């Protein structure tokens, strides 16, 4: 029996460049920098105060709930589907730290509501989101480091293909917190000048936050948007807990698996949206993986973390939304922060946004701590 | 042969960290891991698996953790406010999936990974699906539950520390996996007890 094709029926996003898809699209088109200084991280204990903050009250006690709910609300509003029973709609939450703000508050003896504390646990945050939106199908909380978003999207496809759901909302969220910025400071992984993906002078990431949501649906249940999730591949470097493999072989294997599952050859990929953290080792590894797969004929490559910062568990979801916007609007987003490409970086890096003739098949990449790699292929019929 | 079966099962708790023969096999690095990763890795080592004939890129790892990495998060955050500042080593373990990285590194398993926060009911069906869909030939399944005394003061949970592990693959093993086999902890404990009694 033919497996159902899984399409994207609606999206929502809140990030450093604003609330809603229109804000995100405008930022991508106009190459707008979302990073900015934050008073919250201005203490010398933090490596930098340059972050990608979403438009929200930075003193809110439950920001993960706020960002996730807003993104999900947008996706629900944007989806044009025929009526699907609530028990056939699932929700998958992708997050690394959920509402870590609650731990900071409780530890400091500051007030923290029961709901905010509950959302410290990502599975309970997922349950509450599902309840808020009347979703009664399968609910999962995925947490696979910075690959969480792509794994969650792949899980959504699987739930639909095996008949456990007809539609699945994949919601990615992670928030700026002292906890996370302290952690990356301890690792000396933050670039004080702001994230510069694939740049010769890059020296780290910029912390960011976002809520992002994608509604996946069996394609016969939606009016055609034309964008489908066509292939996925996952792998592990089995090399180092916080550093990627030096040769990019793990990520290259994930890309090959994604190409195989999509039944595509490398020549059929029109655009690559990279992980591009701006850390020295990651970008080098990613460049090597792309060279392994595409040789000297690498399709255009860009990355969003110079614009939005690294949004961790939300990254795979919001960056997939960026791919869908690019495919629908036929343009290549730029790579903010990139001035002078590093030696070995793909020659096809896109510095500034430009029009594209053809964006039929797009490859989205993410990698994460623990050696995890993910590659997702989107197709536009 | 097309059936997916459980080929090994184990349960460990902190008392088992004194099992020197197993811990020695896990090397010096083992002592530097957080408790959740130690228990998960020890549970997998207790499966006594031999991966030498396997294509390591065809073995998946599927983990679920009851409270994510929250016990380690609490320790890390205490360090941020303590003398000497936060530990970069500990920060790497403030991800629920850190134990997967440690297991992958130790056994050189380069296949697909899944990590969920929640109860044990999700592990076996998702691992089964990885094999059924042909994404992996075998899958190391782990459920871990680590609630430190400090964490139990913050969330409504009782202090706990245990890990359960199962190895799934096609063929006739100790127990043929059925659609309703979701209770990983119970299944794992039962098989482990029978195996230990024999």
């Amino acid at each position: 029996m033919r497996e159902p094709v899984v399409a994207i029926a609606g999206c929502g996003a809140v990030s450093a460049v604003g609330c809603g898809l229109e804000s995100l699209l405008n930022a991508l088109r106009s190459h707008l920098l979302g990073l900015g200084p934050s008073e919250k991280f201005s203490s010398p204990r933090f490596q930098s105060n340059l972050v990608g903050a979403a438009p929200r009250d930075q003193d809110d006690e439950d920001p993960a709930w706020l960002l996730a709910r807003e993104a999900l609300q947008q996706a629900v509003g944007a989806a044009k589907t025929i009526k699907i029973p609530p028990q056939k709609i699932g929700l998958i939450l992708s997050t690394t730290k959920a509402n870590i703000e609650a731990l900071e508050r409780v530890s400091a003896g500051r007030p923290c509501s029961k709901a905010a504390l509950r959302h410290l646990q990502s599975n309970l945050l997922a349950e509450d989101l599902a309840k808020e939106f009347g979703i009664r199908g399968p609910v999962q909380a995925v947490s696979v480091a910075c690959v969480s978003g792509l794994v969650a999207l792949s899980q959504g496809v699987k739930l639909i293909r095996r008949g456990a759901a007809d539609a699945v909302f994949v919601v990615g969220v992670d928030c700026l917190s002292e906890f996370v910025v302290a952690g990356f400071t301890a690792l000396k992984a933050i670039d004080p000048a702001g994230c510069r993906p694939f740049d010769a002078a890059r020296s780290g990431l910029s912390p960011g936050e976002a809520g992002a949501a994608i509604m996946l649906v069996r394609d016969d249940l939606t009016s055609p948007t034309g964008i489908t999730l066509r292939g996925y591949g996952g792998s592990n470097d089995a090399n180092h807990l916080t550093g990627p493999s030096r040769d990019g072989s793990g990520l290259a294997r994930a890309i090959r698996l994604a190409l195989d599952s999509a039944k595509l050859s490398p020549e059929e990929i029109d655009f690559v949206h990279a992980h591009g953290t701006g850390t020295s080792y990651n970008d080098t590894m990613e460049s090597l993986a792309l060279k392994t797969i595409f040789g000297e004929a690498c399709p255009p490559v860009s990355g969003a973390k110079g614009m939005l910062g690294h949004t961790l568990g939300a990254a795979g979801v919001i960056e997939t939304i960026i791919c869908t916007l690019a495919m629908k609007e036929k343009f290549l987003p730029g790579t903010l922060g990139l001035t002078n490409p590093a030696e070995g970086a793909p020659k096809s890096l896109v510095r500034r946004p430009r029009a594209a003739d053809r964006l039929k098949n797009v490859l989205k990449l993410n990698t994460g701590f623990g050696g995890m790699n993910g590659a997702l292929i989107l197709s536009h019929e | 042969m097309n059936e997916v079966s459980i080929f090994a099962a184990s349960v460990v708790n902190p008392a088992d960290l004194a099992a020197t023969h197993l811990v020695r096999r896990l090397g010096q690095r083992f002592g530097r891991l957080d408790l959740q990763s130690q228990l998960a890795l020890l549970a997998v080592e207790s499966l006594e698996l031999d991966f030498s004939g396997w294509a390591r890129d065809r073995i998946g790892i599927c983990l679920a953790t009851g409270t994510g990495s929250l016990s380690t998060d609490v320790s890390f955050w205490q360090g941020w406010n303590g003398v000497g500042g936060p530990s970069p080593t500990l920060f790497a373990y403030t991800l629920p999936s850190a134990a997967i990285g440690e297991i992958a590194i130790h056994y050189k398993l380069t296949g697909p990974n899944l990590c969920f926060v929640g109860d044990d009911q999700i592990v076996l069906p998702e691992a089964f699906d990885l094999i059924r869909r042909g994404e992996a030939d075998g899958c190391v399944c782990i459920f871990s539950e680590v609630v430190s005394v400090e964490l139990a003061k913050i969330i409504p949970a009782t202090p706990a520390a245990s890990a359960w592990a199962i190895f799934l693959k096609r063929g006739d093993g100790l127990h043929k996996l059925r659609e309703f086999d979701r209770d990983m902890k119970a299944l794992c404990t039962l098989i482990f007890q029978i195996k230990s009694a024999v």
Side-chain angles (χ1 to χ4, degrees):
Chain A
M1 200 176 76
R2 177 186 162 269
E3 281 197 315
V5 172
V6 178
I8 291 176
C11 301
V14 196
S15 71
V17 293
C19 187
L21 290 194
E22 201 61 36
S23 305
L24 182 58
L25 180 59
N26 287 341
L28 292 166
R29 283 193 181 285
S30 56
H31 213 43
L32 181 73
L33 181 67
L35 304 181
S38 164
E39 202 175 309
K40 188 173 180 179
F41 304 107
S42 56
S43 154
R45 295 182 78 189
F46 298 111
Q47 209 176 349
S48 170
N49 68 345
L50 205 53
V51 296
R56 66 167 175 95
D57 176 2
Q58 288 292 325
D59 286 328
D60 192 89
E61 63 172 3
D62 199 357
W65 170 257
L66 282 184
L67 294 181
R69 189 183 58 180
E70 171 59 34
L72 187 49
Q73 184 70 63
Q74 290 175 27
V76 168
K80 293 182 182 67
T81 61
I82 65 164
K83 190 145 180 69
I84 298 171
Q87 60 272 23
K88 291 296 279 181
I89 303 175
L91 183 142
I92 302 179
L93 180 68
S94 160
T95 184
T96 64
K97 298 312 311 163
N99 191 38
I100 196 68
E101 171 80 22
L103 175 61
E104 297 176 11
R105 282 178 173 259
V106 170
S107 303
R110 294 165 62 203
C112 185
S113 70
K114 272 188 183 174
L117 190 58
R118 188 175 150 80
H119 297 157
L120 185 54
Q121 294 175 261
S122 48
N123 53 324
L124 302 184
L125 176 59
E127 279 177 19
D128 288 356
L129 284 167
K131 195 173 171 188
E132 173 90 354
F133 286 87
I135 293 166
R136 287 166 41 201
V139 176
Q140 298 182 350
V142 166
S143 190
V144 194
C146 302
V147 192
S148 298
L150 296 192
V151 172
L153 285 163
S154 155
Q155 280 297 112
V157 172
K158 285 182 190 176
L159 287 179
I160 292 171
R161 284 187 175 161
R162 68 186 191 224
D166 289 335
V168 174
F169 287 95
V170 177
V171 185
V173 71
D174 261 315
C175 302
L176 280 168
S177 62
E178 291 189 16
F179 184 102
V180 169
V181 180
F184 284 121
T185 293
L187 289 172
K188 296 185 171 53
I190 299 175
D191 188 336
C195 174
R196 293 172 281 183
F198 299 103
D199 194 272
R202 71 187 184 278
S203 68
L205 54 81
S206 291
E209 67 180 355
I214 294 177
M215 185 190 191
L216 302 177
V217 66
R218 251 176 50 200
D219 74 337
D220 57 321
L221 297 177
T222 183
S223 56
T225 58
I227 296 178
T228 59
L229 270 62
R230 184 157 172 179
Y232 177 76
S235 70
N236 193 298
D237 292 338
N239 172 65
H240 193 277
L241 199 60
T242 56
S245 83
R246 295 298 170 93
D247 62 4
S249 57
L251 181 58
R253 192 169 56 257
I255 298 171
R256 273 196 209 98
L257 289 167
L259 287 167
D260 288 349
S261 69
K263 298 184 174 59
L264 291 172
S265 64
E267 297 75 27
E268 291 174 280
I269 297 296
D270 302 310
F271 172 53
V272 179
H273 197 271
H275 188 50
T277 56
T279 56
S280 176
Y281 288 132
N282 179 83
D283 290 4
T284 301
M285 177 281 288
E286 202 167 6
S287 301
L288 286 167
L290 291 173
K291 189 157 193 181
T292 301
I293 298 297
F294 297 106
E296 298 302 326
C298 188
V301 179
S302 69
K305 292 185 176 70
M307 174 183 284
L308 304 177
H310 194 339
T311 60
L312 309 176
V317 185
I318 197 162
E319 291 168 9
T320 296
I321 293 172
I322 289 173
C323 294
T324 66
L325 292 173
M327 293 167 94
K328 279 185 187 172
E329 303 290 327
K330 287 199 166 57
F331 77 103
L332 298 173
T335 308
L336 255 163
L338 173 64
T339 306
N340 178 27
E343 196 182 333
K347 291 187 172 56
S348 54
L349 276 167
V350 183
R351 294 190 209 194
R352 295 193 61 82
R354 64 171 194 259
D357 293 336
R358 176 196 155 92
L359 281 181
K360 189 175 180 200
N361 300 309
V362 168
L363 174 65
K364 172 75 210 102
L365 305 177
N366 283 125
T367 65
F369 278 6
M372 285 101 178
N373 304 295
L376 179 76
I377 295 175
L378 303 161
S379 286
H380 196 189
E381 299 306 327
Chain B
M1 187 59 189
N2 280 331
E3 306 287 357
V4 174
S5 296
I6 295 174
F7 277 75
S10 70
V11 187
V12 299
N13 58 55
D16 297 307
L17 295 171
T20 50
H21 70 290
L22 287 177
V23 170
R24 199 176 298 127
R25 287 203 315 233
L26 292 168
Q28 283 189 329
R29 182 180 164 75
F30 185 74
R32 297 198 291 268
L33 315 188
D34 75 333
L35 181 60
Q36 181 146 272
S37 296
Q38 283 186 333
L39 290 172
L41 189 53
L42 187 62
V44 177
E45 183 65 16
S46 302
L47 296 173
E48 305 273 0
L49 299 170
D50 178 8
F51 290 121
S52 55
W54 283 79
R56 308 293 172 105
D57 62 347
R58 297 289 304 161
I59 303 175
I61 305 172
C62 183
L63 166 78
T65 76
T67 53
S69 56
L70 283 174
S71 293
T72 303
D73 293 358
V74 172
S75 301
F76 172 79
W77 193 238
Q78 284 170 343
W80 170 244
N81 293 309
V83 180
S87 158
T89 306
L90 206 52
F91 183 59
Y93 295 99
T94 63
L95 288 168
S97 55
I100 290 182
E102 292 296 349
I103 292 163
I105 291 167
H106 186 77
Y107 300 101
K108 296 287 168 209
L109 303 182
T110 56
N113 303 148
L114 289 173
C115 178
F116 305 95
V117 178
D119 64 27
D120 63 326
Q121 306 284 313
I122 198 167
V123 182
L124 294 177
E126 293 301 336
F128 174 82
D129 198 53
L130 273 183
I131 297 172
R132 187 187 63 83
R133 298 184 59 80
E135 291 179 44
D137 294 332
C139 191
V140 176
C141 308
I142 310 109
F143 177 70
S144 69
E145 202 158 46
V146 175
V147 179
S148 66
V149 172
E150 289 75 18
L151 178 62
K153 291 174 189 164
I154 297 172
I155 63 167
T158 308
S162 295
W164 294 257
I166 273 178
F167 186 63
L168 286 184
K169 68 178 178 106
R170 287 191 190 279
D172 295 324
L174 299 170
H175 174 83
K176 188 173 82 178
L177 203 67
R178 295 159 300 181
E179 202 178 332
F180 48 84
D181 283 331
R182 290 176 175 267
D183 197 340
M184 179 174 166
K185 286 198 291 186
L187 202 54
C188 202
T189 304
L190 182 68
I191 293 170
F192 190 53
Q193 281 170 351
I194 293 169
K195 196 179 133 199
S196 302
V198 172

